[in-house]
Amino acid sequence: MDLLSGFETVLSPQNLLYAAIGVTIGTLVGVLPGIGPALTIALLLPVALRLDDPTGTLIMFAGIYAGAMYGGSTTSILLNTPGESASVATSIEGYQMARRGRARSALATAAIGSFVAGTVSTVLLAFVAAPMASLAVTFRASDYFALAVLAMVTVTAMVGASLVRGLMSLTFGLFLGLIGIDSLTGQARFTFGVPELLDGVDIVTIIVGLFAIGETLYLASRLKTLPETVAPLEPAGKGFAWLSREDWSRSWRPWLRGTALGFPFGALPSGGAEIPTFMSYTLEKRRSKRPEEWGNGAIEGVAGPEAANNASFSGVLVPLLTLGIPTSATAAVMLAAFGYFDLSPGPQLFEKSPTLVWGLIASLFIGNVMLLALNLPMIRIWVKVLQIPRPLLYTGILVFATLGVYAVSGSVVDVLIAFAIGVVAVFMRHFEFPIAPVILGVILGPMMEIQFRRTLLLSDNDLTVFVRRPLTLVLLLLAVAALGLPHLPRLVARVRGRGDARRLAFGDED
């Protein structure tokens, strides 16, 4: 019944328009190399906050997130340049298929696989969300503190090439989140005598600075290194939806296996889609009866990772909606959007705003249908998008970002802070410091501090409460274990007598 009421919400003309705008913009930014969903939502956040419609705005943001997952495959296949990090696995076989004159088949299996995975994973989300929210009601302050620690530590350990750099990025995020007046003592923290900082740094300012300004300046500095050659689209051949009977036979199992990998991994604190996409690629390669095709354009190597990529998005929404814990950079930006509408994702959200929650979940079904209609028939339009002059695109983003920050705050100081954070973000990207831990530190840091203080207040300052409650202890132990997880391949390689294993690490663009 809840899901049916959600469909009633999303099928209103206004919300359908929001969904259509979201998936269209998402596909557009997914196609453009380097312009990911986090950047786009950050850019639109100041505008969306003026709409005063939380349901429509969040439906649009979910559409942007899902659309970027779809659109990233187009750039991976035709340009061999993933639009976002989760599409890296797709580019391995997809670009080779395009070079062999099978671009349409690669794009079709990616689009249809995304639709299948998105639909199945949304069904799983609808079944899992309510029980998870009921379970979350039993969480205490110490559990939320431990959960925040687990999310931050896991993401910090898994993204980037260095744990030390990741921890430094997290520390920078925690610093930004603690600026302003302490809500408990009334003391100013890290304001440096600037009155505008007494209320803290606005989350929109930080998000726009990190993603819109910082990412754009970084991409602009690499203009000469971006590829220009786009693989051509061959004439449409026989078969249903550009896929022959053999292609359908070889694709449907990888779609289902990719979905089975993507959804649970998306829900884990490590977040993102990089792990399940590469796991899907490896699994399909091992199961393949045509090993000679791998590296030369095996369709299973596109079908599986793309399904895992899109299924992970629904998985990311499980901890975000039920616990209020973001497991990726884009989810953290969406959490900030909830906060601006005075909404707190978690178990109470299902009780206080069921129309919004189930409308958002139902919109994913509608968005998947819209995305399938956008990606296959309109592929030539998305290919044209790749020809937009980069200097014009990046200049427009910077202007739009500046106007957005000023529109929200009305303060020149906030605009200067946004550009200062943007410049810091450029240097972070240049020296390979991950960005995701920064935004998680900003979002989760204050919440973690509040829950820590609340725990000590309720336990009369007894620190042993963090080890006496079993759930809290398990979560903290998992956080400690997460620090060693990236080094597991090296340890396994040493045990087997090999020294060629690399540290397990993934990108943080999603």
Side-chain angles (χ1 to χ4, degrees), residues 22-342:
V23 296
T24 304
I25 294 176
T27 303
L28 175 66
V29 300
V31 167
L32 294 170
I35 311 294
L39 187 157
T40 311
I41 296 175
L43 201 60
L44 292 176
L45 197 53
V47 178
L49 297 178
R50 297 290 180 179
L51 298 176
D52 197 28
D53 182 2
T55 302
T57 300
L58 292 168
I59 285 174
M60 181 175 68
F61 285 168
I64 290 173
Y65 199 162
M69 294 289 194
Y70 267 75
S73 63
T74 302
T75 318
S76 301
I77 291 167
L78 298 180
L79 202 61
N80 199 25
T81 305
E84 32 87 35
S85 59
S87 296
V88 172
T90 303
S91 65
I92 300 172
E93 300 298 327
Y95 184 64
Q96 295 302 322
M97 286 185 68
R99 289 184 62 188
R100 291 171 53 196
R102 302 199 65 213
R104 287 183 185 271
S105 297
L107 292 167
T109 194
I112 298 171
S114 297
F115 172 77
V116 171
T119 303
V120 173
S121 61
T122 304
V123 171
L124 294 174
L125 170 63
F127 278 103
V128 169
M132 275 290 293
S134 301
L135 177 64
V137 173
T138 63
F139 276 37
R140 298 181 184 176
S142 61
D143 300 328
Y144 273 107
F145 166 78
L147 193 62
V149 171
L150 175 62
M152 287 193 294
V153 170
T154 307
V155 173
T156 300
M158 293 298 291
V159 301
S162 165
L163 177 61
V164 174
R165 291 192 185 105
L167 291 173
M168 291 175 70
S169 295
L170 179 62
T171 303
F172 178 53
L174 292 172
F175 164 73
L176 291 175
L178 294 177
I179 292 175
I181 294 177
D182 186 339
S183 59
L184 187 64
T185 65
Q187 296 293 316
R189 301 189 294 192
F190 308 121
T191 58
F192 307 106
V194 180
E196 287 82 358
L197 293 180
L198 290 174
D199 291 330
V201 182
D202 195 290
I203 187 63
V204 172
T205 302
I206 296 172
I207 289 172
V208 171
L210 281 174
F211 293 103
I213 297 175
E215 193 72 16
T216 303
L217 291 175
Y218 175 72
L219 290 171
S221 69
R222 299 173 61 246
L223 271 177
K224 294 182 179 179
T225 65
L226 294 176
E228 299 290 339
T229 305
V230 180
L233 281 176
E234 76 280 7
K238 296 181 180 180
F240 180 69
W242 302 340
L243 292 176
S244 66
R245 181 174 295 183
E246 183 186 4
D247 290 336
W248 280 97
S249 175
R250 293 176 60 181
S251 296
W252 71 269
R253 291 182 184 86
W255 291 338
L256 296 180
R257 285 192 287 263
T259 303
L261 286 171
F263 182 78
F265 271 93
L268 293 176
S270 55
E274 295 85 0
I275 297 176
T277 53
F278 278 100
M279 285 185 65
S280 175
Y281 180 86
T282 304
L283 175 64
E284 298 305 328
K285 187 175 181 179
R286 287 180 177 176
R287 292 179 61 92
S288 177
K289 297 177 181 178
R290 299 177 176 86
E292 71 282 355
E293 287 191 12
W294 289 85
N296 297 307
I299 195 169
E300 296 90 344
V302 178
E306 271 306 297
N309 181 12
N310 284 271
S312 69
F313 165 58
S314 298
V316 165
L317 291 181
V318 174
L320 179 66
L321 293 177
T322 60
L323 299 171
I325 299 294
T327 58
S328 70
T330 309
V333 178
M334 288 186 67
L335 181 61
F338 275 97
Y340 253 89
F341 290 114
D342 293 325

